[in-house]
Amino acid sequence: MNRHQNTERSLQSLAEEAMRLGRDLEAEAHAVYAGGSAETFGFVARSLKRFAERNPFDDRDDASVETLRGIFERDLAAEVIGIERRPVETHYDAMGQSYELRKIAIYTERGEHLLRVRDLLADFERTRAAALDAIAAERAIMRLLGA
């Protein structure tokens, strides 16, 4: 029975985090006017409204989240003001650090904010998926137990 309680706490923690991330995502996307145009901004606002209202698990949101990812990427691409080549650590081993030069986009201030929105969306998607997986696992266990 203790194992079941740990699962519930874990599921509750995931659900709480998904709700918090959904609210943060909606607020940040609104603040940066994600989508740019009035029509696209309206779609973003409508799509994120349920998240802001603490309802991040509606099946209808799967397609919207994918569309939002594309909108944020297009917005972000429009905010690139330059490209720099910077050393990026690729790994560390017995020989020490290894680097390679990579092209790194430089963004406007709005672009930096959009990067945070894009990262919030990715965190939200991962957390939401983990919560939905935990729910599915719980249901599968209940079916196995014949409950």
Side-chain angles (χ1 to χ4, degrees):
M1 192 61 141
N2 190 21
R3 180 176 151 110
H4 181 70
Q5 290 171 342
N6 288 340
T7 301
E8 284 184 45
R9 275 197 301 265
S10 176
L11 176 57
Q12 180 169 340
S13 175
L14 287 168
E16 288 170 356
E17 185 177 356
M19 287 181 200
R20 180 189 58 77
L21 287 167
R23 285 192 324 274
D24 292 350
L25 177 60
E26 189 274 339
E28 292 294 323
H30 183 81
V32 76
Y33 199 74
S37 71
E39 181 181 347
T40 308
F41 177 77
F43 173 82
V44 171
R46 286 187 305 278
S47 296
L48 295 176
K49 183 177 181 190
R50 274 194 297 279
F51 303 159
E53 294 172 345
R54 296 180 170 91
N55 185 11
F57 301 113
D58 194 310
D59 290 340
R60 297 174 291 178
D61 293 323
D62 292 343
S64 295
V65 167
E66 189 172 323
T67 302
L68 287 170
R69 193 177 326 108
I71 289 169
F72 296 161
E73 289 298 333
R74 281 189 301 280
D75 263 11
L76 199 50
E79 298 298 323
V80 174
I81 55 176
I83 304 288
E84 288 183 359
R85 291 179 61 90
R86 294 184 185 168
V88 175
E89 183 179 333
T90 55
H91 67 279
Y92 186 88
D93 58 21
M95 302 287 289
Q97 295 173 319
S98 294
Y99 293 90
E100 67 180 44
L101 285 176
R102 291 190 183 165
K103 292 179 181 179
I104 306 292
I106 307 301
Y107 296 97
T108 64
E109 187 174 325
R110 180 174 184 267
E112 292 292 332
H113 195 158
L114 281 165
L115 281 171
R116 289 191 299 276
V117 171
R118 183 193 66 186
D119 292 346
L120 262 175
L121 179 63
D123 290 346
F124 172 78
E125 286 182 277
R126 277 191 297 275
T127 304
R128 180 178 184 262
L132 291 171
D133 287 347
I135 291 166
E138 190 77 18
R139 287 179 181 153
I141 289 168
M142 296 307 284
R143 281 191 307 272
L144 283 172
L145 296 175

